[in-house]
Amino acid sequence: MTAHLRLAVPNKGRLLEPTVALLRDAGLVFDARERSLVSRCENFPIDILFARTEDIVEFVGDGVADMGITGGNLLEESGRSLEVRAELHYGRCRLDAAVPSDAPAQRIADLAGCRVATSHPATTARFFRDRDIAVEIVPLSGAVEVAPRMGLADAIVDLVSTGSTLLVNGLRSVGTLLSSQAVLVAGEGADGPADEVVTMLRAVVDGRERRYVMMNAPLSRLAEIEALLPGLGSPSVVPLARGDMVAVHAVVGADEMWGLLGRLRAAGASGILVLPIELLIQ
Ligand code: AMP
């Protein structure tokens, strides 16, 4: 019997839904009903272990799972040197230092001598130690943003994505310690099937960020259009029944798409089709 690769993923919280979507987009068929701890993929030798996001690094480090998906901030906080096999481009956040809006501090260096509340004490301690800024760390497991109001701390170090939680709590960011996103980590000795999982998930992530564009163009303006389409190397040019026209196919960044359309049309492109890319294997 083939050994099943054990992939640990979040069982709740903000990384659950995008992680399940990523695995499904990669074509894995599995049951993700609540409460199931392990779900065997129907079409690939993978067992998906649903675990607390903050336990996943330990699961992989201890060999309970071969690979895992968790936040880069949690890997950093654990201090374990697991290999990051892929950055997954969701769950993006920053670990920011913040102070009450009326506090004098403007930069991280201004926090010298402050009490800093955080649920990331190891990362925070390391950051300030490396910069010779003396602070007192107040470790908290949650509700860090209320610590200054409760008189527990002068500043906080907490995860921020939009900054609205800081704003609501009368806090102002003074700088970023770390930028984070969801990552795929692997333990030692996870090779063969692990490499396939890396290829699968990277293919989805890379595909999501690009679009396949097709258009018709006058042959006489092909050079102009080609210059607008760096994409993945050179675009494909297909002759059309009308000899003075060609079809141009290219892969472009999803973010660039809207900016490009106007310029392509100005360069003579017509009948422009933009398609999603399911998988992109580089
Ligand atoms: P959970 O507490 O289970 O919802 O997951 C928290 C993880 O989601 C964090 O460790 C980060 O990796 C990630 N994350 C992304 N954005 C944020 C945010 N604004 N606040 C907290 N965690 C975030």
Side-chain angles (χ1 to χ4, degrees):
M1 204 184 85
T2 332
H4 282 234
L5 181 130
R6 293 154 303 163
L7 173 66
V9 306
N11 64 357
K12 56 179 165 40
R14 63 182 83 217
L15 298 184
L16 167 63
E17 203 188 308
T19 300
V20 169
L22 174 71
L23 301 180
R24 296 220 191 283
D25 286 354
L28 299 181
V29 179
F30 59 97
D31 189 5
R33 267 177 308 187
E34 256 175 88
R35 292 177 200 285
S36 67
L37 295 178
V38 182
S39 191
R40 178 153 286 195
C41 285
E42 289 173 23
N43 57 346
F44 210 80
I46 296 180
D47 283 341
I48 299 177
L49 272 55
F50 290 94
R52 285 174 2 131
T53 313
E54 54 271 41
D55 292 341
I56 288 175
V57 167
E58 220 161 306
F59 271 38
V60 177
D62 293 347
V64 175
D66 304 300
M67 304 186 90
I69 292 178
T70 190
N73 57 303
L74 296 168
L75 176 61
E76 179 73 21
E77 179 64 18
S78 73
R80 293 189 90 138
S81 54
L82 297 184
E83 192 185 352
V84 173
R85 298 293 309 269
E87 295 186 324
L88 302 175
H89 298 200
Y90 59 84
R92 287 186 195 275
C93 55
R94 309 183 313 267
L95 192 61
D96 268 16
V99 294
S101 317
D102 56 359
Q106 297 299 327
R107 315 172 291 138
I108 287 188
D110 299 337
L111 299 182
C114 286
R115 291 167 305 156
V116 181
T118 184
S119 53
H120 287 70
T123 310
T124 305
R126 201 160 41 236
F127 180 90
F128 283 101
R129 197 178 335 106
D130 288 351
R131 285 159 187 78
D132 281 326
I133 304 169
V135 294
E136 182 193 334
I137 309 278
V138 181
L140 292 180
S141 55
V144 169
E145 62 281 1
V146 299
R149 226 181 312 142
M150 289 170 66
L152 284 172
D154 311 300
I156 67 164
V157 164
D158 202 9
L159 292 176
V160 173
S161 42
T162 61
S164 60
T165 309
L166 290 185
L167 207 61
V168 167
N169 287 282
L171 299 166
R172 167 171 55 79
S173 173
V174 290
T176 298
L177 282 69
L178 175 86
S179 292
S180 174
Q181 60 177 299
V183 288
L184 173 68
V185 290
E188 273 178 30
D191 36 28
D195 290 342
E196 285 182 54
V197 173
V198 173
T199 304
M200 284 164 93
L201 300 192
R202 278 203 191 141
V204 176
V205 172
D206 288 342
R208 283 174 175 175
E209 298 191 335
R210 295 189 173 80
R211 296 290 178 269
Y212 192 81
V213 203
M214 302 192 279
M215 72 208 80
N216 290 339
L219 185 56
S220 59
R221 302 190 69 184
L222 183 58
E224 246 177 284
I225 289 182
E226 268 183 331
L228 293 171
L229 295 168
L232 294 179
S234 156
S236 311
V237 177
V238 186
L240 293 180
R242 246 183 74 181
D244 58 341
M245 294 289 286
V246 287
V248 181
H249 294 201
V251 173
V252 303
D255 292 344
E256 305 161 55
M257 200 54 240
W258 288 110
L260 258 179
L261 288 179
R263 286 187 283 150
L264 287 171
R265 286 174 71 190
S270 59
I272 304 173
L273 291 182
V274 180
L275 285 83
I277 295 177
E278 197 169 309
L279 299 173
L280 174 67
I281 296 143
Q282 308 230 43

